[in-house]
Amino acid sequence: MSFRTAALRAARHTNAKNRLPLARASTRAYSTPPSRPNSSSWRQQLATSFAVGLAGTLGYRYFSQEKSQVQCDGAPLVEAIDTHGYPWSPVDALEKDDPQNPMRIRMATWVKSLQDHIVNTMEEIESSVEPNSFSPSPEAPKFLRDTWIRKEGGEGSSCVLAGGRVFEKAGINVSIVHGMLPPRAQKAMLPDHPSLPEPTDTKPFFATGLSIVIHPRNPHIPTVHLNYRYFEIENPADPSKPVTWWFGGGSDLTPSYLVEEDCVHFHKELKKACDKHDEKYWPDFKEACDKYFFITHRGESRGVGGIFFDDLTTSSPINQGGAQPKTQEDLFNFVKDASGAFLPAYVPIVYKHLARTWTDEERRWQQLRRGRYVEFNLVYDRGTKFGLHTPGARIESILMSLPETARWEYMTPVGADGSNSPEEELQKVLKTPREWV
Amino acid sequence: MSFRTAALRAARHTNAKNRLPLARASTRAYSTPPSRPNSSSWRQQLATSFAVGLAGTLGYRYFSQEKSQVQCDGAPLVEAIDTHGYPWSPVDALEKDDPQNPMRIRMATWVKSLQDHIVNTMEEIESSVEPNSFSPSPEAPKFLRDTWIRKEGGEGSSCVLAGGRVFEKAGINVSIVHGMLPPRAQKAMLPDHPSLPEPTDTKPFFATGLSIVIHPRNPHIPTVHLNYRYFEIENPADPSKPVTWWFGGGSDLTPSYLVEEDCVHFHKELKKACDKHDEKYWPDFKEACDKYFFITHRGESRGVGGIFFDDLTTSSPINQGGAQPKTQEDLFNFVKDASGAFLPAYVPIVYKHLARTWTDEERRWQQLRRGRYVEFNLVYDRGTKFGLHTPGARIESILMSLPETARWEYMTPVGADGSNSPEEELQKVLKTPREWV
């Protein structure tokens, strides 16, 4: 069964089972996607990548086209989706890596290439959908690509899509910054980064990262977040030997409605990327994610989790006790696999629910969930807090993660305890994180 | 000219000058308000209040019905509004005060009575408007009145209106709590409250306050906030002689569109309440307000200010050097006047703009401004932060201050520098606070 067939079947089924009258008269129909590079052409590219010695990073998988079961909620199984040969793997990103370069250059090259690949994929999704009331132009919505220079050193590239057919707001940002870090700023990092040497004087630093937040319109498509970063305190005498360095990152899923199969799929993809490198990674980083993305004042998680890690170096406790010591290259390969798992983990879930319609009540619940998203990001998120309190920081980029619209209701009846509703079902899971795989 | 005449004239004028096509076909017409207690009846009540020795608190004024100029923006002058005899003064609130009681009882009685009076006034405003698409029921919307008991000691009363004809979300909350304050919690209060004795052991405390946030639907009616509170460390041996005590409070206005005359009016009312008690109060508390309600990461104020003070005791520096020492009674009288100035400062502005229509673009700008309101409250507001980090706090009441809906746009073109728009005009004022009176 092609994705089109599955999606239309799903849409019919969904209409029939909607709990409330449909808010909109017309179903936003899923149209056949425009032609994309076919499987053989990307396989050729993949072969090139292998040839330049990057086999270690190629753990991405493609979804089988054979399975055609339809899940109980009326949508096709995530793994049954026909990808039409579009590469989930950031093949071009892999090609650009040059092991001769120092890690800061390699990581910057990786995040820029991955940014490009993910932006292109999201634009593909936009163009696969007919114009609708949110974006009536016959031309498919494109990201606004915007670069900036940091006066104190470095640059950034923000790719933001607002008012899309599918995505209400999506930001895919890269920053590559360097400069001098005063002892006070180093001290502030110490609690989270025990590998940092005791600060005595101002030190040159370098930091690069990719940060993604995607808020779709459809309440049945989850919000997703990714952040991967590399940080080093430079050694002015020998730029190839930083005083200290670490990787951090992760990605997590924030649905408004719980579809267990989606959660399992998302976590499976991340687990696979972790397991390839160290069996300890998955349980540890999954737990760290549940712990980090927790809205303490609500007593609930922001979403259904994923992975999260910080201060990952070769001397991190988790990297000790293996058969042989981990190298920086090992960790970079892990970071490439984990961040490269973003598309295969998320995009099939988007395609799966793309054709579903929604009711005003479902939209209202999504807006309430987005209110919680805002609460987490403004009250707890370390990156956001650090950014907001950094004089001269680019506020537009820092707050790109906030949804376009959000809602707060006093004592809302939506999803109330005992309502036995899909909304309450989600809240139960948010209060007690699950093991999905 | 009656308010009805003025309002209809204003509505006609506004329709003609709208910069963009009207978002809604029909003007929400202002209808003659239902009969209210007439002037002579509340004057009678007032006389009763004088009789019980409360003359000192009766600085409220009524707007002249003689003036009938129409301001350049097409709305009637704030001071020209016919009040239809409805009392701005919380007459009933004044009546309930008994000087024989300890201050904690008197302040609790005051905030409860003022809460009642303000809730009733807001319901009067709702009932003065015809049913509309937001609230189509023929019955005028009422506040949801909800009381709660604090397990550890105390009670609260939340009055919240959602989905009104005029008010999108309004919360008018009172809390009266007591219990034991561990040294750690006392230490956390020290920086803001120098009058607190050096914490050595757990101390009994009492705190009561009134907190108001009103978010109207109409982008031409400003959001308003008020908070007044009294705190004491109790003396178990003699409840009439607390170890320490202070008052805090203030109110401020947050318009989406700048109407200078409104700002002048709002500030004038507050200045009058301040000046009656001490000439130093107004300049000091006005400046403190501009300083407090500042969104540092945006480099702009949340709104156009008002007054703000904290830790106000008889020994506060501002209360030194007068002809004779201030008493607790003096400060309570000031608090009553300042909080009692809420209705005459705000309600005429609501009535003034009630009949104005708005465009989608104006609503969009209002939503963006509400995003800033959320940013301030979640990132900077001490009360909110304290509440969010207090285990067992009632989150619904703490976050009642958030608007029902808010919006964030990346690099929004609305109000951009150089756009020469009313939106830019507001932003300029937010970046450079003005002296309004």
Side-chain angles (χ1 to χ4, degrees):
Chain A
M1 181 169 63
S2 73
F3 174 68
R4 183 175 159 75
T5 323
L8 290 178
R9 184 196 287 192
R12 272 198 306 277
H13 187 94
T14 310
N15 285 354
K17 73 181 256 293
N18 263 322
R19 287 163 299 123
L20 289 155
L22 292 178
R24 299 168 191 283
S26 68
T27 299
R28 270 161 295 279
Y30 178 86
S31 66
T32 311
S35 67
R36 297 188 178 105
N38 65 29
S39 302
S40 64
S41 91
W42 71 256
R43 281 207 184 94
Q44 231 161 4
Q45 291 179 296
L46 215 57
T48 319
S49 308
F50 271 106
V52 294
L54 293 168
T57 66
L58 295 169
Y60 318 104
R61 64 191 265 265
Y62 287 75
F63 300 107
S64 151
Q65 298 179 26
E66 277 80 67
K67 295 188 200 165
S68 62
Q69 296 152 262
V70 169
Q71 186 72 344
C72 57
D73 79 333
L77 273 174
V78 168
E79 308 205 21
I81 288 170
D82 181 352
T83 67
H84 295 269
Y86 192 79
W88 297 150
S89 304
V91 176
D92 45 348
L94 296 175
E95 278 175 343
K96 289 180 191 164
D97 182 36
D98 179 354
Q100 302 302 315
N101 282 328
M103 186 52 72
R104 60 183 178 282
I105 304 296
R106 295 176 70 190
M107 181 65 173
T109 307
W110 170 258
V111 294
K112 282 164 87 168
S113 301
L114 187 57
Q115 178 193 37
D116 267 355
H117 189 70
I118 293 173
V119 166
N120 290 340
T121 308
M122 296 300 139
E123 288 183 346
E124 280 284 336
I125 294 172
E126 283 288 339
S127 73
S128 74
V129 170
E130 298 288 342
N132 58 26
S133 59
F134 306 112
S135 180
S137 161
E139 276 172 61
K142 293 270 182 188
F143 278 76
L144 177 70
R145 296 167 197 229
D146 186 22
T147 56
W148 46 271
I149 300 286
R150 185 170 171 267
K151 201 171 66 210
E152 299 84 356
E155 55 172 311
S157 155
S158 300
C159 297
V160 177
L161 176 72
R165 298 170 183 174
V166 178
F167 302 114
E168 190 167 359
K169 193 172 174 191
I172 301 174
N173 292 358
V174 156
S175 65
I176 305 162
V177 299
H178 54 89
M180 298 304 290
L181 208 61
R184 203 164 45 97
Q186 294 171 53
K187 263 187 193 128
M189 300 177 99
L190 268 180
D192 294 329
H193 298 284
S195 67
L196 196 66
E198 188 60 33
T200 49
D201 53 1
T202 294
K203 294 246 171 58
F205 79 97
F206 172 95
T208 186
L210 169 65
S211 180
I212 301 176
V213 180
I214 294 174
H215 295 286
R217 293 195 186 282
N218 192 326
H220 301 293
I221 305 180
T223 283
V224 74
H225 162 250
L226 169 145
N227 182 286
Y228 278 88
R229 53 200 175 273
Y230 172 74
F231 182 90
E232 63 177 45
I233 299 281
E234 292 177 48
N235 179 355
D238 182 356
S240 73
K241 292 199 171 56
V243 175
T244 189
W245 58 266
W246 64 74
F247 289 102
S251 58
D252 63 291
L253 197 71
T254 308
S256 297
Y257 287 95
L258 186 70
V259 180
E260 298 190 7
E261 190 221 20
D262 295 354
C263 303
V264 171
H265 168 76
F266 186 83
H267 282 76
K268 255 188 189 170
E269 290 298 313
L270 298 183
K271 182 175 189 296
K272 202 164 35 179
C274 290
D275 286 353
K276 217 178 112 186
H277 297 272
D278 194 320
E279 284 192 349
K280 296 194 294 294
Y281 282 178
W282 166 253
D284 201 73
F285 300 163
K286 193 270 182 200
E287 193 190 334
C289 185
D290 286 336
K291 206 169 154 188
Y292 182 77
F293 292 103
F294 191 73
I295 308 172
T296 311
H297 64 264
R298 297 281 189 183
E300 65 184 37
S301 295
R302 185 176 78 173
V304 296
I307 55 171
F308 178 86
F309 61 92
D310 205 358
D311 195 46
L312 191 70
T313 67
T314 48
S315 60
S316 297
I318 201 166
N319 286 328
Q320 303 310 307
Q324 62 186 64
K326 288 239 173 58
T327 63
Q328 193 184 45
E329 185 76 24
D330 292 335
L331 301 190
F332 182 47
N333 283 337
F334 161 65
V335 160
K336 283 191 284 185
D337 274 354
S339 57
F342 176 77
L343 288 176
Y346 182 59
V347 173
I349 299 172
V350 176
Y351 275 124
K352 180 181 167 189
H353 299 290
L354 208 50
R356 291 182 72 170
T357 54
W358 63 85
T359 66
D360 282 345
E361 275 302 285
E362 287 165 343
R363 175 76 178 162
R364 176 179 167 194
W365 175 242
Q366 179 202 44
Q367 295 292 298
L368 290 166
R369 296 312 313 166
R370 292 205 171 150
R372 304 290 171 97
Y373 208 89
V374 170
E375 288 176 30
F376 178 84
N377 286 22
L378 293 181
V379 178
Y380 301 103
D381 187 63
R382 286 180 211 155
T384 307
K385 281 168 87 168
F386 183 80
L388 293 184
H389 294 110
T390 302
R394 192 170 184 269
I395 297 303
E396 286 294 325
S397 296
I398 293 162
L399 296 185
M400 171 279 294
S401 67
L402 299 181
E404 187 166 280
T405 49
R407 186 174 182 89
W408 285 269
E409 292 180 15
Y410 177 75
M411 305 280 280
T412 185
V414 191
D417 285 355
S419 60
N420 226 348
S421 60
E423 290 81 10
E424 190 195 9
E425 194 190 347
L426 178 80
Q427 279 198 313
K428 278 184 184 162
V429 168
L430 298 180
K431 287 188 191 295
T432 316
R434 275 196 211 167
E435 295 300 328
W436 296 103
V437 286
Chain B
M1 181 170 63
S2 74
F3 174 68
R4 184 177 158 75
T5 323
L8 291 178
R9 186 194 288 193
R12 271 199 306 279
H13 188 94
T14 311
N15 285 353
K17 75 180 252 297
N18 263 321
R19 287 162 299 121
L20 289 155
L22 292 177
R24 298 168 191 287
S26 68
T27 299
R28 271 161 294 280
Y30 178 87
S31 67
T32 311
S35 67
R36 298 189 176 102
N38 65 30
S39 302
S40 65
S41 90
W42 70 257
R43 280 205 185 94
Q44 230 162 5
Q45 290 180 296
L46 216 56
T48 319
S49 308
F50 271 108
V52 292
L54 292 169
T57 65
L58 294 170
Y60 317 102
R61 64 192 265 266
Y62 286 74
F63 302 106
S64 151
Q65 297 180 28
E66 276 81 68
K67 294 187 203 165
S68 62
Q69 297 152 263
V70 169
Q71 185 74 346
C72 58
D73 80 332
L77 273 173
V78 167
E79 306 205 23
I81 287 170
D82 181 352
T83 67
H84 294 268
Y86 192 80
W88 298 149
S89 304
V91 176
D92 45 347
L94 297 174
E95 279 177 339
K96 290 179 189 164
D97 183 36
D98 179 353
Q100 303 302 315
N101 282 328
M103 186 51 73
R104 60 181 178 284
I105 304 295
R106 296 176 70 190
M107 181 65 174
T109 306
W110 170 258
V111 294
K112 281 166 88 168
S113 301
L114 187 56
Q115 177 193 36
D116 266 356
H117 189 70
I118 294 174
V119 165
N120 291 340
T121 309
M122 296 299 137
E123 289 183 347
E124 281 285 334
I125 295 172
E126 283 288 340
S127 74
S128 74
V129 170
E130 298 288 341
N132 57 26
S133 59
F134 306 113
S135 180
S137 162
E139 276 174 60
K142 293 270 182 188
F143 278 76
L144 177 71
R145 298 168 197 229
D146 185 22
T147 55
W148 47 270
I149 300 286
R150 185 170 172 270
K151 202 171 64 209
E152 299 84 355
E155 55 173 311
S157 155
S158 300
C159 297
V160 177
L161 176 70
R165 298 170 184 174
V166 178
F167 303 115
E168 191 168 0
K169 193 174 174 188
I172 302 175
N173 292 357
V174 156
S175 65
I176 305 162
V177 299
H178 54 90
M180 298 304 289
L181 207 61
R184 202 164 46 96
Q186 296 171 54
K187 264 189 191 125
M189 299 177 99
L190 268 180
D192 294 329
H193 298 284
S195 67
L196 196 67
E198 188 60 34
T200 48
D201 53 359
T202 295
K203 294 247 171 58
F205 79 97
F206 172 93
T208 186
L210 168 64
S211 180
I212 300 176
V213 180
I214 294 175
H215 295 285
R217 292 195 187 280
N218 191 326
H220 300 294
I221 305 180
T223 284
V224 74
H225 162 249
L226 170 145
N227 181 286
Y228 279 88
R229 54 201 174 272
Y230 172 75
F231 182 90
E232 63 177 46
I233 298 281
E234 292 178 47
N235 179 354
D238 182 356
S240 72
K241 290 198 172 57
V243 175
T244 190
W245 57 267
W246 65 74
F247 288 102
S251 58
D252 63 292
L253 196 71
T254 308
S256 297
Y257 287 95
L258 186 70
V259 180
E260 297 190 8
E261 190 221 21
D262 295 354
C263 303
V264 171
H265 168 76
F266 186 84
H267 282 76
K268 255 187 186 169
E269 290 298 313
L270 298 184
K271 181 173 188 297
K272 204 164 34 180
C274 290
D275 287 353
K276 214 176 114 188
H277 297 271
D278 194 319
E279 284 192 351
K280 296 195 295 293
Y281 282 177
W282 167 252
D284 201 73
F285 299 162
K286 193 270 183 200
E287 193 190 335
C289 185
D290 286 336
K291 206 169 155 189
Y292 181 76
F293 292 103
F294 192 73
I295 308 172
T296 312
H297 64 266
R298 297 281 188 182
E300 65 184 40
S301 295
R302 185 176 78 173
V304 297
I307 56 171
F308 178 86
F309 61 93
D310 205 359
D311 195 46
L312 191 71
T313 67
T314 48
S315 59
S316 298
I318 200 164
N319 286 329
Q320 303 310 307
Q324 62 185 64
K326 288 239 173 60
T327 63
Q328 193 184 44
E329 185 76 25
D330 291 335
L331 301 191
F332 182 46
N333 283 337
F334 161 65
V335 160
K336 282 192 283 185
D337 273 354
S339 57
F342 176 77
L343 287 175
Y346 182 59
V347 172
I349 298 172
V350 177
Y351 275 125
K352 181 182 167 189
H353 299 290
L354 208 49
R356 291 180 73 171
T357 53
W358 64 84
T359 66
D360 282 344
E361 275 302 286
E362 286 165 344
R363 175 76 178 163
R364 177 179 168 193
W365 175 243
Q366 180 202 44
Q367 295 292 298
L368 289 166
R369 297 311 313 166
R370 291 202 173 152
R372 305 290 171 97
Y373 207 90
V374 171
E375 287 175 30
F376 178 84
N377 286 21
L378 293 181
V379 178
Y380 301 104
D381 187 63
R382 286 180 211 155
T384 308
K385 281 167 88 169
F386 182 79
L388 293 184
H389 294 110
T390 301
R394 192 170 185 269
I395 296 303
E396 286 294 325
S397 296
I398 294 162
L399 296 185
M400 170 280 292
S401 67
L402 299 181
E404 187 166 280
T405 50
R407 185 175 183 87
W408 286 268
E409 293 181 15
Y410 177 74
M411 305 280 280
T412 186
V414 191
D417 287 353
S419 61
N420 225 351
S421 59
E423 291 81 12
E424 190 194 9
E425 194 190 346
L426 178 80
Q427 278 198 313
K428 278 184 184 162
V429 168
L430 298 180
K431 285 186 191 297
T432 316
R434 277 197 209 164
E435 294 302 327
W436 296 103
V437 286

